[in-house]
Amino acid sequence: MKNIRKTSLLVVFAFSSILLSQSTPILDGQQKAIRTLSSLSGFTESTLQNYIIYEYGVQLGQLTQTQGSQLIKKFQSGSITPPQTKVVATPPPAVTTSASKPISKTKPKLVAKPTPAPILADVLEVGMNKRFHLIDGSIYNGEIVDIVDGICHIESIDGLLKIPSGDILEETATITKKDDTRYIGPIMRETTEEIVLRSRYGDVIISKREVKEMDRYHGGQRVAWAEEKKTFFRGEVVLTDIFMDPTAFPLTPHTFYISGLSLGYGFTEKFMVRTNFGSDLQGDLNFRPHLRFYHRQTGTNRRAAAVGGNLYNHHPMETLVAKYSNKVYKEDDSGNKTYLDKDTVSVKDVMGLDTDFYWELYVVLSSRRSLVTRRGEVGWHVGAMTNALALKKPKLIDGYKWDTLIPFRMWAAFEYDLSKNLKLAGVMWVDNGHKFRTFDQVWSDYAQDTPFILDSKSGEYRMVDFDFGFLYAVSETFRVGIHFQEPFLVFYWKFFEL
């Protein structure tokens, strides 16, 4: 009895597996195997798709696992040849000899199997805005503004075109997003940043930023995705900072970078951490978190808002006295004030070697949108920052005092893709601790006494100032830049998937 039950269960399991495989979509491995075997058999990509549509009525990506297995076995057995060369032997006329054996006096007649006709558009409606492929090979960009008696009125850059609906090829796509979501259906609308498919369950708007794989079919023939990507581009230089000021866009997840002043790592799409390695080497360990708390994205526009901070556990307070030396003064018996930035006394002589916990906090709002010309993006960023001196100021020796000081920095920055590898960037700010310094002053500060740290009191105070420059992407992971205020030269080296 137990053996009978086991046998029954095995039969039920096998029968269920067969039914499941007959309805389960074809596996990616099966598709790759079919393409490889078909290529060895003399098929091209287009002839393969035509054959599958002719035999099964669907495209390769729409086959079931069972149909995929059958097709693989046919290729392995050699029973399939390309449609252009597949032949059928027609019976030749025969004669009868004395031995009554039929002898053919003519060679078999070769008959080519007809190539499937191109698939015509089944869905055409007013408002469709994309590229239209015609049966004669023509391609038009435009929007259907009207359909009269089977004639599509398409508004294009070259004027109004009147094209019979029977001349327009069907354009479908199979799109796999980065989260492995897959959509299949005819293309209704398309821009440089998004594509709209009509699935069996409604229209789906897909951002091209989220596409991992995309196969397109014009009249049943597959078009490689690489060809489609040529119609738009986005600059290779993606900025997490405009020179020294942060943007709201964090690093890509699992990405590490190093620059001339800091290094960082992106943990998620919302959170990254940076550190100033110059301060770390001087014993001032620091932690600079950045959290994007708002994000909205469409096909052509991205907006984000973020908060962040710079936390130092053993910060040398003389760097802050040097930065705000225009707010430190001594007063003589006559009541005249001499400010530290105009005095010959060094910062260390004013306060000694005081160290303390120090913090900076900022908030920033950013936006990037695609250019109408399809040539990259333009973006803007606004932010505000304050620091620990708003609550507690470093102690000074007798005779020196602080003026009233609430430290702040507010900035507005922009970026513009001049080409795929070159970006123009600029920033304007209001900062009550900013000084303008020459290249020699910055280099001396950067390389001497405290390497990699900018902490000199030299320079001319300018509360309102601006800067601009250029950044060039040498490769996808390395960029360099030049601008006209400190630190003048920048570089940025990025490593993926550490």
Side-chain angles (χ1 to χ4, degrees):
M1 180 65 68
K2 291 182 178 180
N3 290 335
I4 293 174
R5 290 178 179 176
K6 290 181 179 180
T7 302
S8 300
L9 288 174
L10 289 173
V11 171
V12 171
F13 177 77
F15 184 71
S16 300
S17 300
I18 292 172
L19 290 178
L20 183 63
S21 65
Q22 289 177 344
S23 60
T24 304
I26 188 171
L27 299 173
D28 291 340
Q30 288 180 304
Q31 295 186 51
K32 292 179 181 178
I34 291 171
R35 286 195 170 99
T36 300
L37 292 172
S38 66
S39 178
L40 295 175
S41 300
F43 278 76
T44 64
E45 185 65 34
S46 61
T47 56
L48 173 63
Q49 290 293 343
N50 288 338
Y51 176 82
I52 294 173
I53 293 173
Y54 184 80
E55 294 291 339
Y56 297 97
V58 295
Q59 299 166 1
L60 174 58
Q62 298 170 316
L63 294 174
T64 65
Q65 289 186 15
T66 300
Q67 291 172 330
S69 299
Q70 293 173 352
L71 195 54
I72 290 172
K73 291 179 181 178
K74 289 181 180 180
F75 278 118
Q76 290 174 337
S77 64
S79 60
I80 303 178
T81 57
Q84 291 81 355
T85 59
K86 187 171 182 178
V87 299
V88 179
T90 57
V95 297
T96 304
T97 63
S98 57
S100 299
K101 295 181 179 180
I103 300 176
S104 174
K105 289 188 177 182
T106 60
K107 294 181 179 180
K109 186 177 180 181
L110 302 181
V111 180
K113 186 176 181 179
T115 301
I119 301 175
L120 301 180
D122 184 50
V123 180
L124 292 171
E125 60 184 43
V126 174
M128 290 183 70
N129 190 345
K130 63 187 187 74
R131 283 181 295 172
F132 294 91
H133 296 255
L134 308 186
I135 58 176
D136 64 355
S138 300
I139 302 175
Y140 297 106
N141 285 306
E143 178 182 357
I144 298 179
V145 295
D146 198 4
I147 300 177
V148 180
D149 297 330
I151 304 297
C152 295
H153 294 209
I154 299 178
E155 188 70 48
S156 73
I157 193 173
D158 301 314
L160 183 64
L161 305 174
K162 298 181 179 181
I163 303 174
S165 58
D167 288 352
I168 301 176
L169 297 178
E170 177 79 309
E171 183 179 15
T172 59
T174 300
I175 297 177
T176 303
K177 295 177 62 177
K178 293 177 181 178
D179 61 359
D180 290 328
T181 305
R182 179 180 294 176
Y183 297 99
I184 300 173
I187 298 174
M188 304 303 294
R189 293 185 302 279
E190 183 177 9
T191 68
T192 57
E193 294 291 337
E194 65 183 20
I195 186 170
V196 179
L197 292 187
R198 173 155 296 176
S199 70
R200 295 175 59 186
Y201 312 103
D203 290 354
V204 181
I205 302 175
I206 303 170
S207 171
K208 289 183 178 177
R209 302 174 193 271
E210 302 298 323
V211 174
K212 181 173 71 173
E213 296 178 355
M214 177 163 60
D215 289 332
R216 305 180 71 145
Y217 302 88
H218 300 151
Q221 295 189 2
R222 180 174 178 270
V223 179
W225 184 33
E227 178 181 323
E228 296 301 324
K229 292 193 289 186
K230 296 178 183 178
T231 62
F232 69 97
F233 78 80
R234 189 171 300 109
E236 297 287 355
V237 181
V238 180
L239 302 180
T240 56
D241 301 88
I242 303 292
F243 305 135
M244 301 290 286
D245 295 306
T247 72
F249 299 107
L251 283 168
T252 304
H254 313 300
T255 300
F256 170 82
Y257 86 87
I258 183 170
S259 70
L261 293 172
S262 63
L263 52 88
Y265 184 79
F267 286 89
T268 68
E269 293 181 349
K270 298 180 179 180
F271 183 70
M272 72 175 181
V273 171
R274 290 173 285 192
T275 186
N276 185 321
F277 60 81
S279 296
D280 291 327
L281 295 175
Q282 299 295 325
D284 182 21
L285 298 182
N286 58 97
F287 176 71
R288 301 170 58 191
H290 177 97
L291 175 65
R292 187 189 71 193
F293 63 87
Y294 167 79
H295 183 237
R296 182 179 180 184
Q297 176 174 312
T298 64
T300 59
N301 193 301
R302 288 177 290 169
R303 290 188 178 181
V307 294
N310 307 324
L311 311 177
Y312 297 82
N313 76 334
H314 200 66
H315 199 60
M317 292 292 106
E318 63 264 24
T319 62
L320 299 175
V321 176
K323 179 176 180 179
Y324 297 100
S325 57
N326 65 325
K327 296 295 184 180
V328 176
Y329 69 94
K330 67 178 179 179
E331 191 173 6
D332 59 20
D333 295 338
S334 301
N336 297 320
K337 295 181 180 180
T338 302
Y339 284 89
L340 182 60
D341 62 319
K342 305 297 183 182
D343 202 343
T344 57
V345 179
S346 70
V347 173
K348 291 184 179 181
D349 292 337
V350 170
M351 58 169 300
L353 298 176
D354 186 22
T355 59
D356 200 356
F357 180 82
Y358 172 71
W359 53 264
E360 296 175 337
L361 296 176
Y362 64 83
V363 59
V364 58
L365 175 66
S366 297
S367 174
R368 288 192 180 118
R369 63 177 178 82
S370 300
L371 296 170
V372 178
T373 60
R374 302 185 180 183
R375 296 181 57 83
E377 293 182 316
V378 61
W380 56 261
H381 316 270
V382 293
M385 176 186 291
T386 189
N387 60 48
L389 269 63
L391 302 178
K392 179 182 178 183
K393 297 173 178 60
K395 295 180 180 179
L396 306 173
I397 64 174
D398 292 341
Y400 284 88
K401 300 179 182 179
W402 283 95
D403 262 350
T404 302
L405 172 64
I406 299 178
F408 64 85
R409 178 179 177 85
M410 295 178 286
W411 69 91
F414 80 94
E415 55 177 297
Y416 186 94
D417 287 332
L418 298 174
S419 71
K420 189 169 184 177
N421 295 79
L422 184 64
K423 185 185 291 287
L424 171 66
V427 58
M428 183 174 183
W429 63 84
V430 180
D431 186 340
N432 60 352
H434 168 70
K435 303 174 191 175
F436 174 80
R437 300 195 289 178
T438 65
F439 181 82
D440 290 338
Q441 289 174 317
V442 173
W443 176 251
S444 177
D445 187 12
Y446 182 82
Q448 298 177 11
D449 297 331
T450 52
F452 306 108
I453 300 176
L454 301 175
D455 58 0
S456 171
K457 75 168 187 174
S458 62
E460 174 190 350
Y461 273 97
R462 295 181 184 177
M463 180 179 291
V464 180
D465 210 344
F466 67 92
D467 187 17
F468 68 92
F470 301 89
L471 297 107
Y472 180 75
V474 180
S475 67
E476 187 179 0
T477 59
F478 184 71
R479 73 169 186 251
V480 295
I482 182 171
H483 51 114
F484 299 94
Q485 296 218 39
E486 64 177 82
F488 290 97
L489 300 174
V490 296
F491 75 87
Y492 181 94
W493 194 5
K494 183 166 56 176
F495 305 86
F496 291 98
E497 298 291 342
L498 288 183

